[in-house]
Amino acid sequence: MEKNFVTAIFCALLSVGTFFFGPVAMAQELEVFTVKDFDLKGPVQSCMVITSYGKEEYVFNKQGYLIKSVTRYNESDYDITIYKLQGNSILEKRLENYRDGQFVKNTSIANFYKTDTTDTKKVTERIFSYSKEFLDQYEYIYNEAGKLKTIKRMNDSGVDETTVTYEESNGAFTKTFYLNDVILKRVTTATVKVSNKKEQKKVQTKEYLDGEPHLAFEQIYSNNGALLFEKKEVYREDQNGFVPLESKFYTYDTNNVLVSVRTKKGKAESVKNYIYQFDSGEKGNWIRQVITPDNTYISRKIKYFEKEVVKSKK
């Protein structure tokens, strides 16, 4: 599926460490990934995604957590990310780059994590190159409710502090990020009722550039978590507000599988349809996705853990 495949690639990019929210760089909250983040279900051991630019491979442990990812551009150029976990907590993450079949030491990095729960929870992340050069240190500090409240980034350039605040008003929950006291992003989540009395989740996000409004996003999800609608807007000073850029409408079948995406850009409108081949009927995982009218496709090779045979006691 288009959205889920993009999510998988996005998760792979997160393995590098920090990432970008639009034009604003900020530290990523600590998170471990599971088979669900890659549009997979069941006891998946590995999944190879074959695309036009190369191959993505994801390896999971028996608990369903991602422990390794490989981005292969060709036979001799590839990146490997290895995750060392303790339960659902990350202890270590290593990104290894290979070019022309050779390990590239100066661009490969290692992230080490240490958790302190003496007072409230604090996780320290230290990042080194494989040449043993210190690159960055992050401190993730949580409040008494277990929610992230501060991210401190420390390196040779100084200290940057991202703070997170939480508000609740009329059933809506707002999470706001500030970098050195300048607003970066605000996310508001609310539950809304539609005409058929079913509940939907609405997520509204505003991103800021140098403290000024820049981009706005709106997503609506069904009560089973499927993305139904999303809209992207950009702030125009001459219009003193946000102007729509693009809207997408998602349609699913009875098994919650994406079957079409309708995109609107101004007066232009286009539709993509998705056809699947499954490995075990429609309740299994898809192994081939055909996108029309482009007639492009994505293939997945999925390997499962073998079921353990329980020996009965005599």
Side-chain angles (χ1 to χ4, degrees):
M1 292 180 267
E2 181 182 74
K3 286 298 293 181
N4 288 311
F5 177 67
V6 171
T7 299
I9 303 302
F10 177 67
C11 291
L13 293 174
L14 292 186
S15 65
V16 177
T18 57
F19 73 105
F20 290 89
F21 277 111
V24 182
M26 63 180 296
Q28 163 67 4
E29 296 180 54
L30 292 177
E31 184 178 6
V32 294
F33 303 105
T34 71
V35 293
K36 291 182 179 180
D37 295 307
F38 297 86
D39 190 27
L40 294 163
K41 52 191 174 183
V44 175
Q45 183 175 358
S46 64
C47 176
M48 174 75 78
V49 183
I50 303 170
T51 71
S52 58
Y53 70 83
K55 298 177 180 178
E56 294 276 352
E57 183 179 7
Y58 305 102
V59 180
F60 306 90
N61 62 19
K62 289 186 177 181
Q63 290 70 46
Y65 292 109
L66 180 69
I67 57 173
K68 181 180 179 181
S69 64
V70 182
T71 301
R72 189 176 293 276
Y73 310 102
N74 52 53
E75 288 303 315
S76 58
D77 297 336
Y78 51 95
D79 301 327
I80 300 176
T81 305
I82 301 169
Y83 303 85
K84 183 179 179 181
L85 306 175
Q86 185 176 57
N88 61 357
S89 298
I90 186 165
L91 299 178
E92 189 176 307
K93 177 173 61 182
R94 293 179 178 268
L95 174 64
E96 300 178 351
N97 298 319
Y98 294 82
R99 297 296 180 267
D100 296 322
Q102 300 297 315
F103 175 62
V104 184
K105 189 175 183 180
N106 61 342
T107 61
S108 299
I109 60 174
N111 305 52
F112 302 95
Y113 302 86
K114 182 180 179 182
T115 302
D116 182 359
T117 56
T118 303
D119 189 9
T120 55
K121 180 181 177 181
K122 181 178 78 171
V123 179
T124 301
E125 175 186 17
R126 291 175 61 82
I127 306 174
F128 296 86
S129 71
Y130 270 61
S131 301
K132 297 184 179 179
E133 177 189 3
F134 170 75
L135 301 176
D136 267 317
Q137 177 173 308
Y138 290 87
E139 287 184 355
Y140 304 84
I141 302 170
Y142 298 79
N143 61 22
E144 293 181 353
K147 293 182 178 180
L148 181 67
K149 69 174 184 178
T150 306
I151 305 174
K152 291 183 180 180
R153 179 186 182 185
M154 293 159 278
N155 55 28
D156 294 341
S157 302
V159 178
D160 288 316
E161 183 171 291
T162 300
T163 56
V164 189
T165 63
Y166 302 87
E167 300 175 66
E168 180 182 357
S169 178
N170 298 321
F173 298 86
T174 300
K175 187 177 183 179
T176 308
F177 295 81
Y178 300 86
L179 177 60
N180 299 328
D181 297 324
V182 178
I183 190 169
L184 279 178
K185 186 175 73 162
R186 174 169 286 136
V187 182
T188 299
T189 303
T191 300
V192 296
K193 287 189 176 182
V194 293
S195 57
N196 57 4
K197 296 183 180 181
K198 289 185 178 180
E199 290 187 343
Q200 295 178 343
K201 183 174 74 171
K202 178 187 288 188
V203 181
Q204 295 174 304
T205 303
K206 288 186 179 180
E207 295 180 357
Y208 299 79
L209 183 60
D210 296 327
E212 299 297 327
H214 180 63
L215 293 172
F217 304 88
E218 179 180 312
Q219 289 95 20
I220 295 178
Y221 297 85
S222 67
N223 55 5
N224 58 13
L227 179 62
L228 302 175
F229 168 80
E230 63 180 343
K231 178 174 64 175
K232 180 180 181 180
E233 300 176 313
V234 64
Y235 189 83
R236 302 293 187 196
E237 288 189 5
D238 57 345
Q239 299 189 38
N240 195 31
F242 286 95
V243 176
L245 289 178
E246 180 182 87
S247 296
K248 291 190 175 185
F249 304 81
Y250 299 85
T251 304
Y252 301 82
D253 64 14
T254 55
N255 292 313
N256 203 35
V257 175
L258 181 69
V259 293
S260 69
V261 179
R262 180 165 57 94
T263 302
K264 292 183 67 175
K265 292 182 179 179
K267 295 182 179 179
E269 185 171 321
S270 62
V271 177
K272 288 185 178 182
N273 298 298
Y274 299 84
I275 303 169
Y276 303 93
Q277 179 184 347
F278 296 87
D279 61 2
S280 181
E282 293 187 358
K283 292 185 178 180
N285 288 304
W286 64 266
I287 54 176
R288 186 177 175 88
Q289 176 197 74
V290 179
I291 306 170
T292 62
D294 302 345
N295 288 326
T296 58
Y297 69 90
I298 297 171
S299 296
R300 304 197 303 185
K301 295 181 179 179
I302 301 171
K303 182 180 179 181
Y304 296 89
F305 285 104
E306 294 183 3
K307 291 183 178 180
E308 295 183 359
V309 178
V310 180
K311 295 182 179 180
S312 59
K313 295 181 180 180
K314 292 184 179 180

